[in-house]
Amino acid sequence: MNVSLRYDQGAMRLLTAAFVVVCLAARSSAASAEEEIRRAEKAWAAAVMRVDAQALEKILDDQLIYAHSTGVIESKAQYLDRLRRRAQKYDLIEHQQITVRLHGDAAVAHSQVRMKGVSDQVPFDNRLMMLHLWVKHGGQWWLAAHQTTRLP
């Protein structure tokens, strides 16, 4: 009877250790995915400020919904066209805080940002709440939706 009890205790220790390893791996994976989204947010902002259409082609999902704080909604093609023509120019996109929530192969990034630039020849300097929906396919995170709301 002692032998089977020892076996059960040993098996329990092994299962417990395996469980801990799996939990730590899942936690590490979630932390690294969150960091990937934070880097993606910074890469998006840098590409927009540089008007780097080539980089944005690799960041923006083909089915992008881009909703500006003015209420204007654009597709990926429309948004990139405005940037290329300099109808929309960002001099500053500064994340003041970013909260990321993961949902499988999707992530929501909620930020407070300051954006400065020119839209249709009208300067702007806005404090905004920004919501980004990122989706992962092909091993890469893609920006699928953008929504901003002006803050007072």
Side-chain angles (χ1 to χ4, degrees):
M1 186 156 189
N2 283 345
V3 173
S4 66
L5 182 60
R6 285 184 191 152
Y7 173 77
D8 290 344
Q9 288 174 344
M12 286 302 291
R13 276 190 230 122
L14 184 60
L15 285 172
T16 301
F19 179 74
V20 168
V21 168
V22 167
C23 288
L24 290 174
R27 186 175 179 181
S28 175
S29 176
S32 65
E34 181 177 332
E35 189 54 40
E36 288 175 8
I37 295 300
R38 290 178 183 279
R39 284 193 303 269
E41 283 286 319
K42 300 295 184 182
W44 165 80
V48 168
M49 287 187 290
R50 287 190 321 267
V51 190
D52 187 343
Q54 193 171 29
L56 287 168
E57 285 284 350
K58 298 174 184 174
I59 293 172
L60 304 177
D61 190 79
D62 287 340
Q63 297 180 49
L64 175 72
I65 298 171
Y66 199 97
H68 295 270
S69 64
T70 59
V72 172
I73 299 172
E74 296 172 328
S75 66
K76 177 180 180 175
Q78 291 167 322
Y79 180 63
L80 288 175
D81 180 60
R82 283 182 53 79
L83 289 174
R84 286 182 181 113
R85 292 184 294 110
R86 303 295 198 263
Q88 187 80 21
K89 173 75 174 104
Y90 298 90
D91 299 318
L92 174 72
I93 300 175
E94 180 181 70
H95 290 85
Q96 295 168 340
Q97 97 181 43
I98 302 173
T99 302
V100 176
R101 296 290 184 262
L102 300 169
H103 302 276
D105 285 341
V108 175
H110 181 269
S111 307
Q112 287 189 18
V113 296
R114 181 172 178 206
M115 289 187 183
K116 290 175 67 174
V118 178
S119 180
D120 296 321
Q121 300 179 346
V122 177
F124 63 86
D125 183 353
N126 297 328
R127 284 183 6 90
L128 305 161
M129 278 192 310
M130 182 171 70
L131 188 68
H132 278 170
L133 172 64
W134 294 89
V135 294
K136 191 171 194 176
H137 51 87
Q140 178 182 326
W141 289 103
W142 298 84
L143 181 60
H146 163 101
Q147 171 73 57
T148 50
T149 302
R150 286 188 191 159
L151 295 171

